[in-house]
Amino acid sequence: MFKMSAFFVCAKNVVILLLLICNGLARTEGNNEIMDKHAGVVSMDVTVFTSGVAETVSERFLSVTLDTGLLLNNWIHLNLSSSKVLSLAKHLNPVYLRIGGTLQDFLYFEEMPAKLNYSHRKHADLKPFNITSKILDDLFVFASKVGWDVMFGMNMLDRNPVSWEPWDALKILSYISKKGYPLAGLELGNEPDVYNLILTKRPDPEILGKDFQHLRDLMQMIPFLNSSLLVGPDVTNMCLLNKAYIDFFTRYLDAAHTALDAVTIHQYYLNGAIAKLEQFYDPSVMDILEIELLSAHKILRTHAPGKKIWLGETSAAWNSGAANLSNSFVAGFLWLDKLGLAARYNVQVVLRQDFYGGSYGLIDYNTLDPNPDYWLSVLYKILVGTKVLDVVVMGSKRHTRVYAHCTNRKRTDYPPGSVTVYALNVFSSKDANLTFSQFDKHLVDVYQLQPVGPMGLRSKTVALNGEPLKLDTDYRLPKFIPKRQMTPITIPKLTFGFYVFPMAKASACL
């Protein structure tokens, strides 16, 4: 699928990290790692602050996307009525389903306005196209069956010389309203900070921001949209060294923020066309997200005060992901760390690009079987609650990355006060031994994930506590059975997992 983000995501992340390290902003290694350089096990003590909640995220924190290109191509291989697909989708609930991407700015409903020939576009393969009422029916019927809440991306490049033209968008909304389909929210435009790569001239950000105000005014006049969200602007470049993009973002927010329910940014670490295996578990790559979130929060405090951040489209690698990497076990390191960092930095929703499509889909492009990140996402949904807890790690915290939440009691039978820790060991040669002084000699339920078979980190098969995960013949998920043990916890090299403390009695989780 065509993915313009290949051109926009920060290309100078290494330079940024070096500058931040010089200024004391990037994470640094603890002495324990240096002292234990040649040992087979690195030990560290973890403290979870259980007396108060650090942040609270949405119940739909882990959400998914489908690219607008699927609508152009009649869903490609994605069978929306498949029992397998329906089963896999239901187990991710609750989620937002974002329909968006580069091609949303070329989408029209039924009849394309003849006056808009897009002669000002730079790429000949980006052409306006129509979707039919059947495509919308397919989408909303599927969403209803699996319980997903649709966020629909509107075409912002449907414009007169001055501003956005709402008439085609109103035709879409009128049809959705007539059919009684629930609509969780709207977006307007995809990655407008890089419209200069699509168009011969990018509209000024103040004008685009006013278009959001126009859409909000329309939403307030349409009763069925009274409770729908409006999120944006889906900018894609949070690179701290690129003043032009930051300036665009701030001017856009100044004009649009009062119309928005949340501020969306897009985030990728790597170019899928050239990404390497070791980058998927490299701490310096993982740290990029923390830097970008710090930048985004700083901007919002001044230019969109009180608004929450969403990762409106995100994965490890753009360009439809990295073949044989984004759909293998190794992808889980960047995905799980992203979920941990995003929650800790009060990102309300993380929209995974994508549920289906390319190499980064949660389900396989051809077979529709679950990819490794699907199993990781389902376990996250089951075990991790919305209340985020602070964690301090004494030792090699860049290579052993630890996060904690109150346990999700809506999908488990764990008692009040339970705590779920999830952790990644990205050492390539050392196991990590985690002690929890506050939970000394406590029982802990271990959900350890490891790759299966000779492909190692490139494996598409994942084992939970040594048992390969797979669907049964009726496409039902297996039972996720933990291994109960006493603390401490040992995490094998280059693996990750979830660890539930059922008797933590955390006051923040009662």
Side-chain angles (χ1 to χ4, degrees):
M1 295 177 187
F2 186 83
K3 190 70 188 75
M4 289 299 295
S5 295
F7 301 100
F8 332 141
V9 181
C10 302
K12 299 178 181 176
N13 288 319
V14 174
V15 178
I16 299 172
L17 285 167
L18 289 173
L19 289 173
L20 286 166
I21 289 170
C22 291
N23 288 283
L25 293 176
R27 298 185 183 187
T28 56
E29 300 294 355
N31 290 333
N32 291 22
E33 182 179 333
I34 298 172
M35 293 167 58
D36 204 26
K37 184 176 180 181
H38 301 292
V41 177
V42 60
S43 297
M44 61 209 70
D45 189 69
V46 179
T47 300
V48 180
F49 291 89
T50 59
S51 60
V53 176
E55 307 290 352
T56 302
V57 297
S58 168
E59 286 191 337
R60 294 167 180 77
F61 173 73
L62 195 169
S63 287
V64 296
T65 73
L66 286 174
D67 197 277
T68 309
L70 291 175
L71 279 59
L72 167 63
N73 294 295
N74 196 29
W75 307 109
I76 309 180
H77 305 118
L78 181 61
N79 182 352
L80 295 177
S81 60
S82 158
S83 297
K84 181 194 292 187
V85 172
L86 294 172
S87 176
L88 292 171
K90 287 176 184 176
H91 286 284
L92 290 172
N93 272 328
V95 300
Y96 290 118
L97 169 61
R98 181 239 187 186
I99 304 295
T102 301
L103 290 178
Q104 81 179 59
D105 282 316
F106 297 83
L107 178 153
Y108 292 90
F109 183 57
E110 298 286 358
E111 295 179 3
M112 189 187 312
K115 64 178 180 178
L116 294 168
N117 59 19
Y118 280 70
S119 59
H120 55 305
R121 72 183 187 275
K122 287 185 177 181
H123 294 273
D125 54 347
L126 290 177
K127 299 176 182 178
F129 68 98
N130 293 336
I131 61 168
T132 65
S133 56
K134 182 182 183 304
I135 289 288
L136 287 178
D137 291 339
D138 291 343
L139 168 63
F140 283 96
V141 169
F142 169 74
S144 176
K145 286 180 180 178
V146 299
W148 288 3
D149 300 307
V150 176
M151 305 282 298
F152 199 88
M154 294 294 182
N155 178 352
M156 184 177 247
L157 296 184
D158 185 357
R159 311 185 66 78
N160 61 40
V162 178
S163 62
W164 174 60
E165 289 276 15
W167 313 119
D168 195 75
L170 286 171
K171 287 196 295 181
I172 294 175
L173 295 175
S174 175
Y175 182 80
I176 293 171
S177 174
K178 181 179 71 174
K179 298 287 287 192
Y181 297 139
L183 189 59
L186 294 173
E187 296 181 330
L188 182 60
N190 179 75
E191 300 178 350
D193 51 333
V194 289
Y195 276 167
N196 55 299
L197 298 175
I198 296 176
L199 308 175
T200 54
K201 180 176 171 47
R202 180 183 67 187
D204 288 337
E206 293 89 349
I207 293 174
L208 298 176
K210 290 177 182 177
D211 293 335
F212 264 96
Q213 294 284 358
H214 188 186
L215 177 54
R216 171 59 79 185
D217 291 342
L218 292 175
M219 291 172 67
Q220 292 175 342
M221 296 169 58
I222 302 172
F224 99 102
L225 293 176
N226 284 345
S227 60
S228 300
L229 302 174
L230 177 59
V231 302
D234 286 290
V235 294
T236 191
N237 201 322
M238 286 303 301
C239 187
L240 294 181
L241 296 184
N242 195 322
K243 185 179 182 300
Y245 283 119
I246 298 300
D247 181 61
F248 180 94
F249 188 28
T250 56
R251 291 166 62 201
Y252 204 131
L253 288 179
D254 286 340
H257 76 271
T258 56
L260 298 174
D261 293 295
V263 174
T264 50
I265 63 175
H266 293 183
Q267 197 278 337
Y268 294 83
Y269 303 98
L270 306 167
N271 181 346
I274 59 174
K276 306 298 183 184
L277 175 76
E278 57 272 15
Q279 291 178 298
F280 280 78
Y281 55 87
D282 184 339
S284 65
V285 175
M286 293 176 172
D287 289 342
I288 291 167
L289 174 62
E290 185 171 24
I291 295 164
E292 294 186 14
L293 291 178
L294 285 168
S295 176
H297 277 297
K298 180 180 179 181
I299 291 169
L300 262 64
R301 280 195 295 272
T302 303
H303 299 276
K307 302 299 181 182
K308 299 294 187 181
I309 295 176
W310 289 19
L311 292 183
E313 178 189 307
T314 190
S315 197
W318 69 91
N319 259 342
S320 294
N324 301 315
L325 292 173
S326 292
N327 53 1
S328 67
F329 179 85
V330 76
F333 291 102
L334 287 177
W335 180 224
L336 187 57
D337 193 66
K338 176 171 286 181
L339 293 171
L341 275 175
R344 186 59 194 86
Y345 279 92
N346 199 22
V347 174
Q348 286 296 295
V349 175
V350 176
L351 285 145
R352 166 63 183 252
Q353 178 82 356
D354 50 22
F355 176 64
Y356 168 81
S359 295
Y360 45 30
L362 293 181
I363 63 175
D364 185 84
Y365 184 73
N366 293 308
T367 67
L368 306 181
D369 289 335
N371 280 326
D373 273 3
Y374 175 83
W375 297 114
L376 172 57
S377 299
V378 168
L379 271 171
Y380 187 99
K381 282 285 192 176
I382 292 171
L383 298 173
V384 180
T386 59
K387 294 180 179 179
V388 186
L389 306 176
D390 270 326
V391 178
V392 170
V393 179
M394 301 300 294
S396 309
K397 60 186 179 183
R398 285 193 72 212
H399 284 79
T400 307
R401 305 169 81 92
V402 184
Y403 305 96
H405 292 230
C406 296
T407 301
N408 184 0
R409 295 185 56 239
K410 291 186 176 181
R411 293 187 64 174
T412 68
D413 294 325
Y414 287 112
S418 300
V419 169
T420 296
V421 170
Y422 50 106
L424 309 87
N425 178 7
V426 296
F427 279 113
S428 59
S429 60
K430 290 190 280 284
D431 295 346
N433 191 57
L434 273 58
T435 59
F436 296 80
S437 300
Q438 70 204 103
F439 303 140
D440 187 36
K441 297 181 181 178
H442 271 226
L443 288 173
V444 57
D445 279 354
V446 174
Y447 299 82
Q448 185 68 47
L449 295 171
Q450 292 177 279
V452 176
M455 295 297 291
L457 295 177
R458 294 179 186 267
S459 175
K460 293 187 179 181
T461 304
V462 181
L464 174 65
N465 298 328
E467 290 294 324
L469 294 171
K470 57 184 179 180
L471 301 174
D472 69 14
T473 54
D474 294 321
Y475 306 124
R476 290 175 299 197
L477 270 60
K479 294 181 179 179
F480 300 110
I481 301 174
K483 179 178 70 174
R484 179 158 287 190
Q485 65 173 65
M486 303 290 287
T487 55
I489 298 166
T490 298
I491 308 175
K493 63 185 179 183
L494 292 179
T495 63
F496 43 80
F498 299 86
Y499 313 93
V500 179
F501 295 87
M503 304 308 295
K505 298 182 180 177
S507 57
C509 307
L510 291 172

